[in-house]
């Protein structure tokens, strides 16, 4: 790597699931739907199959969101079309799930001690840190997953959630929006993630990228040699080599 490639970096965007937080996505989704339906169905006039169908439709709507409204509004507007218009009155019930039973999905995750070490190194060196996770969950659910990774909400200056985002990965506008919200210049920002299609699309709007391969997702079998890449151990070494910018 040429030295000039790293001197410009001032901000590090981290994906969460599969990057800071090792995750078995299939197991997570299974636990998620089981736990959320068991949690909310006693309090809403819906069967588990309808709740799951509505959530999947809402997730797809957020994935395709065009920036006109927040992901939260897009999600609940879509859920209402699958269920009934006043489902929005039940949002506190769903939020209660994230405060309580959502903990059951932790079984599908693991903690990599390197995540906390990397965050601490970068903080000491003066880098602005952002959690750039796909904003499909409310803040309460996102912050819980941040903690499962062994790091804290306070370690990051900005975290994308469905409340504060109007786009999702792999839409490059997600990264532009996040840069604006976090007050980061794209050309001074490194996106770190494990999903080739979603996280590496940051390159399209000028961010540098680092592909973490421990939980690699490469749906299209893309040649990853075009990206800086390596395991979390490799990225740890990469971070050690980054310059201290705290007093610059």
């Amino acid at each position: 790597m040429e030295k000039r490639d790293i001197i410009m970096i001032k901000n590090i965007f981290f994906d969460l699931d599969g990057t800071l937080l090792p995750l078995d996505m299939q197991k997570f989704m299974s636990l998620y739907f089981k736990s959320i339906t068991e949690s909310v169905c006693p309090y809403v006039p819906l069967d588990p199959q309808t709740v799951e169908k509505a959530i999947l439709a809402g997730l797809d709507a957020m994935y395709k969101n065009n920036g006109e409204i927040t992901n939260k509004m897009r999600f609940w507007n879509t859920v209402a079309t699958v269920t009934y218009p006043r489902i929005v009155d039940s949002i506190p019930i769903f939020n209660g799930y994230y405060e309580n039973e959502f903990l059951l999905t932790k079984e599908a995750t693991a903690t990599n001690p390197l995540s906390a070490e990397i965050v601490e190194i970068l903080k000491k060196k003066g880098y602005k840190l952002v959690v750039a996770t796909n904003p499909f969950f409310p803040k309460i659910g996102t912050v819980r997953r941040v903690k499962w990774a062994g790091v804290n909400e306070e370690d990051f200056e900005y975290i994308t959630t469905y409340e504060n985002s109007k786009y999702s990965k792999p839409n490059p506008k997600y990264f532009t929006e996040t840069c604006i919200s976090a007050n980061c210049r794209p050309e001074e920002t490194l996106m770190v993630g494990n999903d080739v299609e979603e996280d590496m699309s940051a390159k399209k709007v000028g961010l540098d990228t680092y592909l973490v391969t421990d939980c690699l997702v490469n749906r299209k079998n893309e040649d990853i040699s075009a990206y800086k890449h390596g395991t979390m151990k490799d990225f740890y070494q990469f971070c050690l080599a980054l310059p201290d910018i705290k007093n610059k």
Side-chain angles (χ1 to χ4, degrees):
M1 182 191 310
E2 295 181 18
K3 190 174 181 180
R4 62 182 176 84
D5 288 334
I6 60 175
I7 286 177
M8 291 298 294
I9 297 172
K10 296 180 180 178
N11 321 296
I12 314 288
F13 285 11
F14 283 102
D15 176 55
L16 184 53
D17 302 322
T19 303
L20 287 178
L21 179 66
L23 178 86
D24 181 333
M25 182 58 74
Q26 185 174 355
K27 184 176 182 180
F28 174 82
M29 294 304 291
S30 176
L31 291 170
Y32 173 66
F33 283 119
K34 183 177 188 296
S35 58
I36 196 169
T37 54
E38 290 180 352
S39 173
V40 305
C41 282
Y43 306 101
V44 294
L46 299 169
D47 60 76
Q49 291 75 24
T50 302
V51 171
E52 182 171 342
K53 179 181 177 182
I55 290 174
L56 286 171
L59 288 171
D60 186 61
M62 290 189 290
Y63 189 77
K64 298 173 181 175
N65 201 5
N66 61 6
E68 293 179 354
I69 57 177
T70 64
N71 281 2
K72 177 181 180 179
M73 292 180 65
R74 185 70 69 191
F75 176 82
W76 286 106
N77 287 351
T78 303
V79 167
T81 66
V82 178
T83 57
Y84 55 93
R86 299 311 305 171
I87 186 68
V88 293
D89 294 337
S90 298
I91 290 177
I93 294 173
F94 284 83
N95 286 344
Y97 161 75
Y98 288 103
E99 292 174 348
N100 298 291
E101 293 86 353
F102 186 58
L103 179 64
L104 296 171
T105 66
K106 186 180 179 182
E107 184 182 330
T109 72
T111 301
N112 186 341
L114 286 174
S115 296
E117 292 182 37
I118 287 168
V119 166
E120 189 61 27
I121 288 169
L122 294 173
K123 284 171 58 182
K124 287 181 177 178
K125 290 189 174 190
Y127 290 87
K128 178 184 287 189
L129 305 183
V130 169
V131 174
T133 181
N134 235 343
F136 293 158
F137 290 101
K139 180 179 179 180
I140 185 171
T142 305
V143 169
R144 293 201 81 170
R145 285 164 33 247
V146 167
K147 291 179 180 178
W148 297 347
V151 293
N152 300 306
E153 178 183 2
E154 295 76 21
D155 292 328
F156 304 92
E157 297 200 28
Y158 190 75
I159 298 174
T160 58
T161 68
Y162 88 161
E163 294 99 339
N164 64 20
S165 302
K166 296 180 179 179
Y167 299 98
S168 300
K169 298 184 262 186
N171 190 335
K173 291 182 180 179
Y174 162 82
F175 298 101
T176 300
E177 175 186 53
T178 304
C179 282
I180 293 171
S181 298
N183 194 26
C184 298
R185 297 174 63 182
E187 64 272 19
E188 297 176 345
T189 303
L190 177 72
M191 176 66 208
V192 183
N194 68 302
D195 191 307
V196 177
E197 181 181 8
E198 294 187 355
D199 299 314
M200 299 301 100
S201 63
K203 268 187 169 293
K204 295 178 181 178
V205 288
L207 284 75
D208 199 357
T209 57
Y210 194 105
L211 181 65
V212 175
T213 56
D214 298 65
C215 301
L216 180 67
V217 176
N218 190 2
R219 300 173 189 83
K220 299 179 180 178
N221 294 316
E222 185 177 340
D223 179 5
I224 65 171
S225 63
Y227 311 109
K228 287 191 284 291
H229 64 277
T231 64
M232 280 292 277
K233 288 183 179 179
D234 294 327
F235 184 66
Y236 172 79
Q237 294 298 323
F238 175 90
C239 292
L240 289 176
L242 287 171
D244 191 325
I245 62 171
K246 198 162 193 174
N247 299 314
K248 291 185 179 181

